Amino acid sequence: MKAFVTGASGFIGRALLTRLAADGWDVGGVDLVADAARGVVAGDIAEPGAWQDAAAGADVVIHTAAVVSMRGDDPRAVWRVNALGTARALEAARRAGAARFVHLSSVTVFGFAFPDGVDESYPCEPNGVPYVDTKIASEALVLRAHAAGEIDCTVIRPGDVYGPGSRPWTLLPLEELRRNRFILPARGRGIFSPVYIDNLVDGIVAAAQSPAASGGVFSLSDGAGVTTHEFFHHYAKLLDKPLRSVPTPLAVRLAAVASLAARGRTEVNASSARYLARTGTYSIARARETFGYAPTIDLTEGMTRTAAWLRAERLV
């Protein structure tokens, strides 16, 4: 089997490429900078080009490339990568003759207020955050291509992905804690839905090979929600830092001021504060039933592995 991964040098893309190669797949991919040793070519996924030809012969194209951020970035710039880039990746997959296109979306498409145990039948909710809205748009492109019979597609909605190399849920929280700027909304009682990177990769690989997953949309997490205090306490303990929390309205105001001071060039903003104040979890029942998704690494083990990596990289 041959797989082509977009965003192949990113957090999730790199982990996928490594796993597939270890499993004996013929692998390749695209990212902004080439990495010949790993079969990664250089390319801008929002532009047609030679990178699309590198997917030739792939059985599966896995699309992980995206702008992943809650910052107040230029909405069109985010759309260019997350939506237009998805259209270009679909073109590459069709030209390659791939049997399956696996698209990584996000649980953020449910919005920030949804029923506990929400499943994939619940409608997406645009909320003005460029990342959220463009992920909804990209899903529509993928599902349209599947419905039109152009290529079999599967959509994966990861939860809050953490682990070695995770920027949003490992590296950034550590940095904010180190600077004494990390404050949780909802007094730390917001619900976090972690998914350790190895669990997510297991699910993506299983979905890519499952005939039953064709045309489906699947949320993947570790299967249990925890409070934000419980999750981020692991990082605070590593740094021997206090973990502060305040009521949500105050957290939103403080985050908005921080964003204004940084001219929007920060993940600390009103949107991220509201995201961490969520109260619901995401059901993974459909993935369990369809392709046997069964996360094996719980939060304790995941954080143990993450801490070991952080120490090895001298980040703590």
Side-chain angles (χ1 to χ4, degrees), residues 31-309:
D31 213 296
L32 291 172
V33 177
D35 185 348
R38 298 171 54 246
V40 179
V41 301
D44 176 354
I45 64 162
E47 297 291 339
W51 70 266
Q52 293 175 306
D53 299 329
D59 298 287
V60 178
V61 172
I62 305 176
H63 181 46
T64 77
V67 172
V68 182
S69 175
M70 288 286 182
R71 293 179 308 189
D73 293 323
D74 175 6
R76 185 163 181 81
V78 180
W79 171 89
R80 181 181 178 278
V81 175
N82 291 359
L84 184 57
T86 297
R88 302 301 189 206
L90 280 164
E91 289 173 7
R94 289 193 294 265
R95 284 166 44 184
R100 180 71 62 81
F101 183 88
V102 180
H103 173 62
L104 262 68
S105 181
S106 168
V107 292
T108 62
V109 300
F110 288 114
F112 300 166
F114 47 84
D116 188 35
V118 68
D119 67 19
E120 298 83 351
S121 65
Y122 194 76
C124 297
E125 182 180 1
N127 61 6
V129 177
Y131 176 67
V132 175
D133 294 355
T134 56
K135 278 299 182 181
I136 293 172
S138 67
E139 281 195 14
L141 285 167
V142 173
L143 295 175
R144 187 214 63 80
H146 180 86
E150 296 171 0
I151 185 171
D152 279 358
C153 296
T154 299
V155 174
I156 300 294
R157 294 174 177 171
D160 304 315
V161 194
Y162 76 102
S166 170
R167 176 180 169 272
W169 301 127
T170 299
L171 298 176
L172 285 179
L174 277 169
E175 183 62 24
E176 294 301 312
L177 280 162
R178 188 175 282 112
R179 296 182 179 184
N180 298 311
R181 299 189 312 197
F182 194 75
I183 302 174
L184 290 172
R187 296 193 181 279
R189 301 190 189 104
I191 299 300
F192 199 75
S193 290
V195 54
Y196 186 68
I197 182 61
D198 288 7
N199 289 337
L200 176 62
V201 168
D202 286 343
I204 295 169
V205 173
Q209 299 178 88
S210 170
S214 175
V217 179
F218 303 95
S219 297
L220 298 184
S221 75
D222 287 345
V226 298
T227 65
T228 55
H229 184 277
E230 180 180 350
F231 181 83
F232 292 105
H233 174 71
H234 290 274
Y235 297 143
K237 186 176 180 181
L238 277 175
L239 296 175
D240 193 25
K241 291 283 189 177
L243 185 57
R244 296 179 293 165
S245 60
V246 297
T248 298
L250 178 56
V252 169
R253 288 197 296 272
L254 290 172
V257 170
S259 179
L260 185 63
R263 297 182 181 180
R265 295 189 296 269
T266 176
E267 297 291 346
V268 180
N269 54 45
S271 294
S272 59
R274 293 188 181 99
Y275 185 72
L276 289 174
R278 293 167 300 170
T279 58
T281 60
Y282 309 96
S283 171
I284 60 171
R286 182 171 295 180
R288 287 187 187 276
E289 295 164 2
T290 304
F291 49 87
Y293 176 63
T296 58
I297 301 170
D298 63 13
L299 182 60
T300 299
E301 176 62 21
M303 279 297 184
T304 298
R305 296 185 185 191
T306 302
W309 176 80

